[in-house]
Amino acid sequence: MKLIFRIEKNNRYSLIPLIGAVHSRMKDVQIFIAKSVQELVKVPPPAVVAYSFMSFDLDQIFKEVHDLKAMNYTLIAGGPHVTAKPYESLRLGFDHIFVGDGEENLLKFLNGEKKIVFDGLKDRINLDDYPPFCAELDLFMPIEITRGCVFECAYCETPLIGGRKLRHRSIESIVYYCEVGLKKNRYIARFISPNSFGYGSVDGIKPNVQAIDELLFELKRSGMKEIYFGTFPSDVRPESVNDEVLKVIKKYVNNRSIVIGAQSGSEGILKKIKRTHSVEILLKAVDLILANGFTPQVDFIFGFPFERDEDRYETLNLMEKLLKMGCKIHAHTFMPLPGTELEQVGSAFMPEWFRRKIAQLSSQGKLYGYWEKQQILSQKLTGH
Ligand code: SF4
């Protein structure tokens, strides 16, 4: 069988673990990687084409699916949009769709199981059963150390896609795959987690300092030259920051900053978006991060449609305070993602005075991020 992964810059982290799963278990499947349709059609049908995509990629996907269907390819899809809108995705023209965890179900499909919808929401996988990347094909990415999130932020798709029950990859498995990478001169360790300080934690909130210490110690001992933990792409929740965990990671990591989510300076907005922490908890976490010699990079989300000017002023005041303390501000714009509680509230809205203020902070180098591009994507999601 020929299996073509339709890879793009923004779906690599979804597809690479699946490529790893297929490559490690199904030797009779020929794997192809296509970065464009032109590349894809060089592998003629019969072949299966695998997609993973976000909701704002729908226009492009719709066109590709239409063209490839006419050429008799078998089309399958998983990922964030499909998980949130399975039946709508089928109507796009896919033959089979995969919701939630894809690894096990993709193998079942390739082994001949006939289903239209493969449900990876109920049947969750154990991360240790699958590789985090595909070293044999030189497809590397940060290692996913935890899948699922115990929090339920109203704007986030992660609890739907990964589930609310945490599944941690074991220390042995992480070290094993880092050693696999080392053999291919991959000396830098990065991780994916919804909350890296929750690694190994039973409740996903209180840090398991012993597990984090052991993990980082073993990675250093294995020969990793650089370790990045608590920074992109694995930020931390304010509730999980304590002095002990910061002192432990300081012994091993190369990152000088810690990425932490504040999202708003308004207690009212924090409640509405279900952040479950207060501004005070955020400020305590920031103090501890600074006291341990790290620079906090604090995430904010602008443009919740229910934000009032009072909320916006509170956010601006908090950002000014954080900047004076020595933090960096990482700016995002709200996107009403399918499958989230805020899907129906409309696209992001920022009054002109607020937009100008954010643009000014950005031009002064006090704030960075893709907040402008995300405003366009936000509108794309609602069609206006
Ligand atoms: S924003 Fe982060 S903490 Fe909140 S639900 Fe998503 S992954 Fe979990």
Short mmCIF file of all heavy atoms in Angstrom, two decimals, residues 288-316:
data_model
loop_
_atom_site.label_atom_id
_atom_site.label_comp_id
_atom_site.label_asym_id
_atom_site.label_seq_id
_atom_site.Cartn_x
_atom_site.Cartn_y
_atom_site.Cartn_z
N LEU A 288 8.54 34.48 41.42
CA LEU A 288 9.41 33.31 41.65
C LEU A 288 10.32 33.05 40.44
O LEU A 288 11.49 32.72 40.59
CB LEU A 288 8.56 32.06 41.91
CG LEU A 288 7.91 31.96 43.29
CD1 LEU A 288 6.93 30.79 43.33
CD2 LEU A 288 8.99 31.75 44.36
N ILE A 289 9.76 33.22 39.25
CA ILE A 289 10.54 32.98 38.03
C ILE A 289 11.71 33.99 37.98
O ILE A 289 12.86 33.63 37.72
CB ILE A 289 9.65 33.09 36.77
CG1 ILE A 289 8.64 31.93 36.75
CG2 ILE A 289 10.47 33.10 35.49
CD1 ILE A 289 7.53 32.06 35.70
N LEU A 290 11.39 35.25 38.25
CA LEU A 290 12.43 36.29 38.24
C LEU A 290 13.47 36.03 39.33
O LEU A 290 14.68 36.14 39.10
CB LEU A 290 11.80 37.67 38.46
CG LEU A 290 11.03 38.24 37.25
CD1 LEU A 290 10.12 39.37 37.69
CD2 LEU A 290 12.01 38.72 36.17
N ALA A 291 13.01 35.65 40.51
CA ALA A 291 13.93 35.41 41.64
C ALA A 291 14.90 34.27 41.32
O ALA A 291 15.99 34.20 41.88
CB ALA A 291 13.14 35.09 42.90
N ASN A 292 14.50 33.38 40.41
CA ASN A 292 15.38 32.27 40.04
C ASN A 292 16.19 32.55 38.79
O ASN A 292 16.80 31.65 38.21
CB ASN A 292 14.56 30.99 39.88
CG ASN A 292 14.28 30.35 41.23
OD1 ASN A 292 15.15 29.70 41.80
ND2 ASN A 292 13.09 30.58 41.77
N GLY A 293 16.17 33.81 38.35
CA GLY A 293 17.07 34.21 37.27
C GLY A 293 16.53 34.00 35.87
O GLY A 293 17.27 34.13 34.89
N PHE A 294 15.26 33.62 35.74
CA PHE A 294 14.66 33.45 34.40
C PHE A 294 13.87 34.70 34.04
O PHE A 294 13.39 35.43 34.91
CB PHE A 294 13.68 32.27 34.40
CG PHE A 294 14.32 30.92 34.55
CD1 PHE A 294 14.32 30.27 35.79
CD2 PHE A 294 14.90 30.28 33.47
CE1 PHE A 294 14.90 29.02 35.94
CE2 PHE A 294 15.49 29.03 33.60
CZ PHE A 294 15.48 28.40 34.85
N THR A 295 13.71 34.91 32.74
CA THR A 295 12.82 36.00 32.28
C THR A 295 11.45 35.41 31.97
O THR A 295 11.35 34.51 31.13
CB THR A 295 13.37 36.62 30.97
OG1 THR A 295 14.67 37.13 31.25
CG2 THR A 295 12.47 37.74 30.47
N PRO A 296 10.39 35.89 32.63
CA PRO A 296 9.06 35.37 32.27
C PRO A 296 8.61 35.95 30.93
O PRO A 296 8.71 37.16 30.71
CB PRO A 296 8.15 35.89 33.40
CG PRO A 296 9.08 36.39 34.47
CD PRO A 296 10.34 36.82 33.78
N GLN A 297 8.17 35.09 30.04
CA GLN A 297 7.54 35.55 28.79
C GLN A 297 6.06 35.27 28.99
O GLN A 297 5.66 34.11 29.06
CB GLN A 297 8.05 34.76 27.60
CG GLN A 297 9.51 35.05 27.32
CD GLN A 297 9.92 34.56 25.95
OE1 GLN A 297 9.08 34.39 25.07
NE2 GLN A 297 11.19 34.35 25.76
N VAL A 298 5.29 36.34 29.14
CA VAL A 298 3.91 36.16 29.60
C VAL A 298 2.94 36.26 28.43
O VAL A 298 2.91 37.25 27.69
CB VAL A 298 3.58 37.22 30.68
CG1 VAL A 298 2.24 36.89 31.32
CG2 VAL A 298 4.67 37.29 31.74
N ASP A 299 2.15 35.19 28.27
CA ASP A 299 1.17 35.14 27.17
C ASP A 299 -0.10 35.92 27.52
O ASP A 299 -0.64 35.78 28.63
CB ASP A 299 0.73 33.68 26.94
CG ASP A 299 1.75 32.90 26.13
OD1 ASP A 299 2.38 33.50 25.25
OD2 ASP A 299 1.90 31.69 26.38
N PHE A 300 -0.57 36.71 26.54
CA PHE A 300 -1.86 37.39 26.68
C PHE A 300 -2.69 37.09 25.44
O PHE A 300 -2.15 36.91 24.35
CB PHE A 300 -1.67 38.91 26.79
CG PHE A 300 -1.33 39.35 28.19
CD1 PHE A 300 -0.01 39.34 28.63
CD2 PHE A 300 -2.33 39.75 29.07
CE1 PHE A 300 0.30 39.72 29.92
CE2 PHE A 300 -2.02 40.14 30.37
CZ PHE A 300 -0.69 40.13 30.79
N ILE A 301 -4.01 37.08 25.62
CA ILE A 301 -4.92 36.95 24.47
C ILE A 301 -5.81 38.19 24.43
O ILE A 301 -6.48 38.50 25.43
CB ILE A 301 -5.81 35.69 24.58
CG1 ILE A 301 -4.94 34.43 24.70
CG2 ILE A 301 -6.73 35.58 23.36
CD1 ILE A 301 -5.74 33.14 24.94
N PHE A 302 -5.80 38.90 23.33
CA PHE A 302 -6.63 40.10 23.18
C PHE A 302 -7.87 39.79 22.34
O PHE A 302 -7.86 38.87 21.53
CB PHE A 302 -5.86 41.22 22.46
CG PHE A 302 -4.51 41.52 23.05
CD1 PHE A 302 -3.39 41.64 22.23
CD2 PHE A 302 -4.34 41.67 24.42
CE1 PHE A 302 -2.15 41.92 22.77
CE2 PHE A 302 -3.11 41.95 24.96
CZ PHE A 302 -2.00 42.07 24.13
N GLY A 303 -8.88 40.63 22.51
CA GLY A 303 -10.00 40.61 21.57
C GLY A 303 -11.15 39.68 21.89
O GLY A 303 -11.95 39.39 20.99
N PHE A 304 -11.25 39.18 23.14
CA PHE A 304 -12.46 38.40 23.45
C PHE A 304 -13.66 39.31 23.18
O PHE A 304 -13.69 40.45 23.67
CB PHE A 304 -12.45 37.95 24.92
CG PHE A 304 -11.38 36.95 25.23
CD1 PHE A 304 -10.26 37.29 25.96
CD2 PHE A 304 -11.50 35.64 24.75
CE1 PHE A 304 -9.26 36.37 26.23
CE2 PHE A 304 -10.50 34.70 25.01
CZ PHE A 304 -9.38 35.07 25.75
N PRO A 305 -14.65 38.85 22.43
CA PRO A 305 -15.73 39.76 22.01
C PRO A 305 -16.54 40.32 23.20
O PRO A 305 -17.20 41.33 23.06
CB PRO A 305 -16.62 38.88 21.12
CG PRO A 305 -15.78 37.73 20.74
CD PRO A 305 -14.78 37.52 21.82
N PHE A 306 -16.48 39.64 24.34
CA PHE A 306 -17.23 40.11 25.52
C PHE A 306 -16.38 41.00 26.42
O PHE A 306 -16.80 41.36 27.52
CB PHE A 306 -17.80 38.91 26.30
CG PHE A 306 -16.84 37.74 26.39
CD1 PHE A 306 -15.79 37.73 27.29
CD2 PHE A 306 -17.00 36.66 25.53
CE1 PHE A 306 -14.91 36.66 27.35
CE2 PHE A 306 -16.10 35.58 25.58
CZ PHE A 306 -15.07 35.58 26.49
N GLU A 307 -15.18 41.35 25.97
CA GLU A 307 -14.31 42.24 26.76
C GLU A 307 -14.88 43.66 26.76
O GLU A 307 -15.34 44.15 25.73
CB GLU A 307 -12.93 42.29 26.09
CG GLU A 307 -11.82 41.79 26.95
CD GLU A 307 -10.54 41.63 26.15
OE1 GLU A 307 -10.45 42.13 25.00
OE2 GLU A 307 -9.62 40.99 26.65
N ARG A 308 -14.85 44.32 27.90
CA ARG A 308 -15.28 45.72 27.97
C ARG A 308 -14.03 46.59 28.12
O ARG A 308 -12.94 46.07 28.41
CB ARG A 308 -16.19 45.94 29.18
CG ARG A 308 -17.43 45.04 29.21
CD ARG A 308 -17.94 44.90 30.62
NE ARG A 308 -16.84 44.49 31.51
CZ ARG A 308 -16.82 44.63 32.82
NH1 ARG A 308 -17.84 45.17 33.44
NH2 ARG A 308 -15.79 44.23 33.54
N ASP A 309 -14.19 47.90 27.99
CA ASP A 309 -13.02 48.77 28.12
C ASP A 309 -12.35 48.61 29.49
O ASP A 309 -11.13 48.65 29.61
CB ASP A 309 -13.41 50.23 27.88
CG ASP A 309 -13.41 50.57 26.38
OD1 ASP A 309 -12.96 49.71 25.59
OD2 ASP A 309 -13.86 51.67 26.01
N GLU A 310 -13.17 48.41 30.56
CA GLU A 310 -12.58 48.22 31.90
C GLU A 310 -11.62 47.03 31.88
O GLU A 310 -10.54 47.08 32.46
CB GLU A 310 -13.67 47.92 32.96
CG GLU A 310 -14.66 49.02 33.18
CD GLU A 310 -15.89 48.84 32.29
OE1 GLU A 310 -15.80 49.07 31.07
OE2 GLU A 310 -16.95 48.48 32.83
N ASP A 311 -12.04 45.95 31.22
CA ASP A 311 -11.18 44.76 31.15
C ASP A 311 -9.89 45.08 30.39
O ASP A 311 -8.80 44.66 30.78
CB ASP A 311 -11.90 43.61 30.42
CG ASP A 311 -13.21 43.23 31.09
OD1 ASP A 311 -13.21 43.04 32.31
OD2 ASP A 311 -14.22 43.15 30.36
N ARG A 312 -10.04 45.84 29.31
CA ARG A 312 -8.86 46.17 28.48
C ARG A 312 -7.88 47.02 29.28
O ARG A 312 -6.66 46.81 29.21
CB ARG A 312 -9.29 46.90 27.21
CG ARG A 312 -10.15 46.03 26.31
CD ARG A 312 -10.51 46.71 25.00
NE ARG A 312 -11.44 45.85 24.28
CZ ARG A 312 -12.75 46.05 24.18
NH1 ARG A 312 -13.32 47.13 24.72
NH2 ARG A 312 -13.52 45.20 23.54
N TYR A 313 -8.40 47.98 30.06
CA TYR A 313 -7.50 48.81 30.89
C TYR A 313 -6.78 47.94 31.92
O TYR A 313 -5.60 48.12 32.20
CB TYR A 313 -8.27 49.94 31.58
CG TYR A 313 -8.56 51.09 30.64
CD1 TYR A 313 -9.86 51.44 30.31
CD2 TYR A 313 -7.51 51.81 30.05
CE1 TYR A 313 -10.14 52.48 29.43
CE2 TYR A 313 -7.78 52.86 29.16
CZ TYR A 313 -9.08 53.19 28.86
OH TYR A 313 -9.33 54.21 27.99
N GLU A 314 -7.50 46.97 32.50
CA GLU A 314 -6.87 46.10 33.50
C GLU A 314 -5.75 45.27 32.85
O GLU A 314 -4.70 45.06 33.45
CB GLU A 314 -7.92 45.20 34.15
CG GLU A 314 -8.73 45.96 35.18
CD GLU A 314 -9.94 45.20 35.72
OE1 GLU A 314 -10.24 44.09 35.22
OE2 GLU A 314 -10.60 45.74 36.61
N THR A 315 -5.99 44.83 31.63
CA THR A 315 -4.95 44.07 30.92
C THR A 315 -3.75 44.96 30.62
O THR A 315 -2.59 44.56 30.84
CB THR A 315 -5.54 43.47 29.61
OG1 THR A 315 -6.47 42.45 29.99
CG2 THR A 315 -4.47 42.85 28.74
N LEU A 316 -4.00 46.17 30.15
CA LEU A 316 -2.89 47.09 29.86
C LEU A 316 -2.10 47.40 31.13
O LEU A 316 -0.86 47.41 31.13
CB LEU A 316 -3.41 48.39 29.24
CG LEU A 316 -3.91 48.29 27.79
CD1 LEU A 316 -4.57 49.59 27.36
CD2 LEU A 316 -2.78 47.90 26.84
#
